[in-house]
Amino acid sequence: QVELVQSGGGSVQAGGSLRLSCAASGFTGRKLCMGWFRQAPGKEREGVALIHSTGETTYVDSVKGRFTISKDNAKSTSYLQMDSLKPEDTGMYFCAAQGTLYCPLHPVTYNNWGQGTRVTVSA
């Protein structure tokens, strides 16, 4: 049974930093592509960052240079380091994963999701 368990998040002032973690379990095989998504109130869920099974990363333009995604393969855990946070980064953050070589930034193809964690950035 696939499970994604998130930790981290919270409230911070603009310019601050937060770190999110997502531990995956139940995936078989050697491929594990993990991603982070967020959903602001009244808006659709959007992709933020991906780390593919190859180790390559993909970011949405709005977070490039501020967010860093990483993965500990031994622990099947992904991390999202968020620096220089802005109020527009506020929302619920979800991790997702696929047992594929590459995965998309669009959330519609994912079947496995973490429980979500709230990030609030005040001005």
Side-chain angles (χ1 to χ4, degrees), residues 55-106:
E56 296 169 81
T57 57
T58 300
Y59 297 93
V60 69
D61 287 346
S62 60
V63 307
K64 286 180 179 177
R66 302 188 298 120
F67 290 13
T68 303
I69 188 171
S70 61
K71 180 159 62 85
D72 184 331
N73 289 321
K75 297 180 180 179
S76 297
T77 298
S78 172
Y79 305 95
L80 185 67
Q81 177 67 40
M82 304 184 291
D83 298 319
S84 302
L85 282 160
K86 302 176 180 180
E88 50 264 43
D89 295 317
T90 294
M92 285 293 292
Y93 281 69
F94 299 88
C95 69
Q98 289 182 341
T100 55
L101 188 62
Y102 292 95
C103 47
L105 205 53
H106 198 286

Side-chain angles (χ1 to χ4, degrees), residues 37-48 86-94 117-121:
F37 300 78
R38 66 187 177 190
Q39 189 164 15
K43 294 188 176 181
E44 294 185 352
R45 191 170 298 186
E46 65 168 349
V48 174
K86 302 176 180 180
E88 50 264 43
D89 295 317
T90 294
M92 285 293 292
Y93 281 69
F94 299 88
T117 185
R118 186 170 301 278
V119 170
T120 303
V121 184

Side-chain angles (χ1 to χ4, degrees), residues 10-18 84-87 120-123:
S11 298
V12 68
Q13 289 189 327
S17 299
L18 288 172
S84 302
L85 282 160
K86 302 176 180 180
T120 303
V121 184
S122 57

